[in-house]
Amino acid sequence: MSDRPETLADADGEVLLRRAARLARRLDTTRAEAGVPAIAVRIGDQNYAFPLTGVRRVEIFATITPLPHVPAAVLGLGASDGEVLAVFDGRAFAGVASRAARGEHVPVLILGSASTSLAIAVDELGGLTDVAGSLVRAPGSPPWLLGLTHDGVLVVDVQALLQDPMFASGNRSIEGVVNDDQEQD
């Protein structure tokens, strides 16, 4: 039992409610099509879903060959079906600390098409999932983020991720890594 008058407690509650309403940010809600299959992965401590329409392959690279003088976002080179790919650290776009070791047997998502492919190393593969229902997108979210599911999974817009300047072929810091093999033909 409080020794404060009830009207004062109500006034404090009103003040807190008004303050919370002022501080609250409006979240945009979008609706995902029912039954959109996606591959679930973990990067850092966060779960992500990549819709299968943008995923070419999922592989475990036995080794990734490190390269000198490349940004930390580039883990190195890996081979898939005779194709040599620059492998990017998924942690770079996720905003978490880079991998301490490049290691062996790295799970990799190969996104996009044959002409615009992107290989992203992830921490763990989680299998197939379904993205359906309401997705919440906070203001200031990166353009590659479709939204957040009710259970906290970030849904990635693969096409927007492929357009990200970090991975663009015009990015001078990675241009040689991504384009040198095509220019030498």
Side-chain angles (χ1 to χ4, degrees):
M1 183 179 229
S2 172
D3 56 348
R4 298 171 60 183
E6 193 169 321
T7 56
L8 184 55
D10 288 344
D12 285 347
E14 293 266 339
V15 169
L16 292 175
L17 285 173
R18 283 195 310 266
R19 186 176 297 158
R22 268 197 328 264
L23 295 174
R25 291 185 173 174
R26 182 170 176 254
L27 298 176
D28 293 329
T29 332
T30 58
R31 188 112 184 113
E33 297 286 327
V36 174
I39 182 81
V41 301
R42 186 182 53 76
I43 301 172
D45 292 332
Q46 181 63 54
N47 293 322
Y48 292 84
F50 288 79
L52 291 182
T53 55
V55 178
R56 279 181 50 207
R57 289 190 300 280
V58 177
E59 293 195 26
I60 306 290
F61 279 14
T63 58
I64 295 176
T65 305
L67 296 169
H69 311 295
V70 294
V74 180
L75 290 178
L77 296 177
S80 171
D81 285 341
E83 183 181 14
V84 177
L85 299 166
V87 180
F88 290 85
D89 190 351
R91 290 171 167 239
F93 85 85
V96 292
S98 293
R99 296 172 187 275
R102 296 174 203 247
E104 295 181 348
H105 306 291
V106 178
V108 175
L109 298 180
I110 301 172
L111 308 173
S113 64
S115 62
T116 58
S117 58
L118 173 63
I120 295 187
V122 299
D123 293 329
E124 186 179 325
L125 297 172
L128 292 177
T129 188
D130 234 11
V131 178
S134 295
L135 300 178
V136 176
R137 190 165 195 276
S141 296
W144 51 262
L145 180 63
L146 280 175
L148 180 71
T149 65
H150 69 281
D151 53 352
V153 175
L154 296 174
V155 181
V156 175
D157 180 344
V158 174
Q159 294 308 313
L161 186 63
L162 290 169
Q163 309 273 328
D164 191 295
M166 180 187 301
F167 308 116
S169 60
N171 181 342
R172 289 278 176 221
S173 63
I174 61 167
E175 190 171 58
V177 175
V178 177
N179 294 331
D180 275 357
D181 57 334
Q182 287 97 9
E183 292 173 6
Q184 293 174 1
D185 290 337

